[in-house]
């Protein structure tokens, strides 16, 4: 809720379309969502590398890094998780407006929060990427040892164990990391961008 008054949105003289033309791409946020250990960071990094190699302008917003800075005042209660994601959604929106192919890798467990961000961004510029990895697989990977700690009761509100994860109902992209390699999953995302016109200048009816 905006508590300030007399604030007017300024249109800038360089438009988003101008930036798309300059960058030869159409900006959007690839919003990776999935359980801890599902592969969001790993795949988002692989996708960013591929896009960089194609000469595209990208930026990756990663869960842990944002929690060290912008959101260091927030914890993992339901209320703090909602605020965490709301702020990241606003940052992603700015990056998209700046003409950047933006990637975000956050568990973002609640459907309503993801849908609010989608609603706040131009149609076609929010691409939900569901990293669909079964809990048992995430738990067996346990790259940060968090599941072990959560099962031992050392972490409260752990998504998938003691806090809910609401899977997307209609994600633009669904990645089955238990069946396909990191490389294959990253290719699936890049192919989607290619096929839908994001890797060239203004072409989408935004
Ligand atoms: P998240 O960001 O979702 O918490 P991470 O990317 O940090 O997950 O960890 C995922 C782990 O799973 C990494 O150790 C990664 O190497 C491993 N992994 C194995 N197969 C895959 C795959 N096909 N896609 C993504 N990650 C995979």
């Amino acid at each position: 809720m905006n508590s300030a008054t007399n604030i007017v949105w300024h249109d800038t003289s360089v438009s988003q379309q101008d930036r798309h033309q300059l960058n030869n791409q159409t900006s959007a946020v690839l919003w990776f969502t999935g359980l801890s250990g599902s592969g969001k960071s790993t795949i988002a990094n692989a996708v960013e590398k591929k896009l960089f190699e194609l000469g595209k302008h990208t930026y990756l917003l990663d869960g842990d890094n944002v929690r060290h800075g912008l959101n260091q005042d927030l914890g993992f209660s339901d209320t703090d998780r909602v605020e965490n994601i709301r702020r990241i959604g606003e940052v992603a929106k700015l990056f998209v407006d700046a003409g950047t192919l933006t990637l975000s890798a956050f568990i973002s467990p609640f459907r309503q929060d993801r849908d609010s961000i989608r609603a706040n961004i131009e149609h076609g510029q929010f691409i939900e990427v569901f990293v669909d990895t079964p809990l048992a697989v995430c738990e067996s990977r346990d790259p940060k040892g968090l599941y072990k700690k959560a099962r031992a009761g050392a972490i409260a509100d752990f998504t998938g164990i003691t806090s809910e994860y609401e899977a997307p109902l209609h994600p633009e992209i669904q990645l089955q990391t238990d069946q396909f390699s990191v490389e294959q999953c990253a290719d699936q995302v890049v192919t989607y961008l290619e096929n839908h016109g994001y890797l060239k200048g203004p072409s989408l009816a935004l």
Side-chain angles (χ1 to χ4, degrees):
M1 197 52 63
N2 185 358
S3 52
T5 51
N6 301 322
I7 293 180
V8 178
W9 185 266
H10 280 275
D11 283 331
T12 47
S13 5
V14 178
S15 73
Q16 202 186 127
Q17 291 289 94
D18 296 336
R19 297 179 214 279
H20 291 169
Q21 195 96 52
L22 181 70
N23 292 345
N24 190 30
Q25 62 187 39
T26 299
S27 61
V29 57
L30 287 161
W31 189 275
F32 289 78
T33 172
L35 293 167
S36 176
S38 58
K40 301 179 295 296
S41 268
T42 306
I43 298 168
N45 271 286
V47 170
E48 186 178 35
K49 189 153 181 283
K50 283 176 187 287
L51 293 175
F52 186 84
E53 283 161 3
L54 289 170
K56 300 301 163 192
H57 299 260
T58 61
Y59 194 73
L60 170 57
L61 294 162
D62 189 273
D64 289 344
N65 299 349
V66 171
R67 278 192 177 273
H68 281 300
L70 178 67
N71 291 352
Q72 63 180 340
D73 56 323
L74 301 176
F76 290 88
S77 66
D78 281 6
T79 320
D80 279 5
R81 279 173 191 266
V82 170
E83 178 60 10
N84 181 46
I85 295 304
R86 188 195 69 79
R87 287 187 203 170
I88 293 158
E90 292 291 341
V91 172
K93 186 180 161 133
L94 291 173
F95 271 90
V96 170
D97 193 42
T100 308
L101 283 166
T102 309
L103 303 95
S104 72
F106 302 91
I107 298 173
S108 43
F110 305 130
R111 200 172 287 137
Q112 195 188 331
D113 299 343
R114 298 189 303 264
D115 287 349
S116 307
I117 296 163
R118 181 189 286 276
N120 195 27
I121 291 181
E122 285 299 320
H123 182 70
Q125 289 185 292
F126 178 89
I127 302 168
E128 194 168 27
V129 184
F130 178 26
V131 185
D132 183 11
T133 309
L135 177 63
V137 174
C138 296
E139 197 162 353
S140 71
R141 289 180 186 162
D142 207 5
K144 298 174 202 148
L146 296 177
Y147 283 97
K148 204 161 170 242
K149 282 194 197 161
R151 289 288 183 198
I155 307 177
D157 302 320
F158 194 78
T159 303
I161 313 273
T162 45
S163 182
E164 211 182 334
Y165 178 75
E166 299 171 350
L169 299 177
H170 304 291
E172 277 75 9
I173 304 174
Q174 188 155 353
L175 304 173
Q176 317 279 176
T177 77
D178 56 335
Q179 292 167 42
F180 299 99
S181 68
V182 173
E183 183 71 16
Q184 287 172 318
C185 292
D187 280 339
Q188 189 182 331
V189 175
V190 174
T191 301
Y192 178 93
L193 294 176
E194 178 77 57
N195 290 346
H196 289 80
Y198 294 93
L199 302 187
K200 55 186 180 189
S203 57
L204 301 181
L206 294 173

